[in-house]
Amino acid sequence: MGIENGSIEYFMSKLEEAKTHFERALDCKHTEFDDLYPYMIEHPQFFWYKRYVAWSELLTIVKLCTELGYEWEQQFSASQAEYIKKRVMSSKVLDFWFETNDSKEHVS
């Protein structure tokens, strides 16, 4: 039994959803997690835990894509793909996930 295009499309859509979920968690925007645990908003550790859950979800989808031989890296920038490959949600990931080199904030 070969790999069907429907399976690839399914996993790529799940990958995009996991990426969006992680990015919304980084930005402290509303996610599905907020609906599941609304009482946690009152606790300071909530945003860290929310990010951890989203990162774990992203890593899980990437792992499945890798095991199935699906190309997942093109969905991310080169630096984002490297962060994912290292699997550790470090402060570097949190600080530089969205960073671009063409920022106009840099002073010459």
Side-chain angles (χ1 to χ4, degrees):
M1 187 182 280
I3 298 174
E4 299 175 11
N5 283 340
S7 296
I8 294 170
E9 291 169 5
Y10 174 78
F11 275 95
M12 291 302 109
S13 71
K14 292 300 174 186
L15 181 64
E16 185 61 34
E17 288 174 18
K19 179 182 179 188
T20 300
H21 184 208
F22 178 66
E23 290 176 347
R24 290 186 63 80
L26 281 180
D27 283 342
C28 298
K29 292 182 179 176
H30 186 271
T31 68
E32 187 177 294
F33 188 78
D34 298 297
D35 296 334
L36 294 171
Y37 302 100
Y39 60 89
M40 286 195 67
I41 293 173
E42 302 168 12
H43 302 284
Q45 73 273 16
F46 170 73
F47 291 108
W48 170 252
Y49 188 68
K50 180 177 171 175
R51 290 172 179 160
Y52 173 77
V53 168
W55 180 248
S56 296
E57 176 186 18
L58 181 59
L59 293 180
T60 300
I61 299 295
V62 165
K63 181 179 179 185
L64 289 171
C65 288
T66 301
E67 289 175 357
L68 293 167
Y70 300 159
E71 295 292 327
W72 59 269
E73 292 180 33
Q74 68 269 15
Q75 304 290 331
F76 301 90
S77 70
S79 59
Q80 290 172 341
E82 284 303 311
Y83 298 146
I84 292 169
K85 288 176 186 176
K86 291 180 181 172
R87 301 186 54 83
V88 176
M89 188 177 63
S90 65
S91 60
K92 189 173 185 180
V93 173
L94 298 174
D95 292 340
F96 298 111
W97 182 263
F98 293 112
E99 185 170 87
T100 60
N101 291 334
D102 61 352
S103 176
K104 298 191 187 295
E105 295 177 11
H106 296 297
V107 178
S108 302

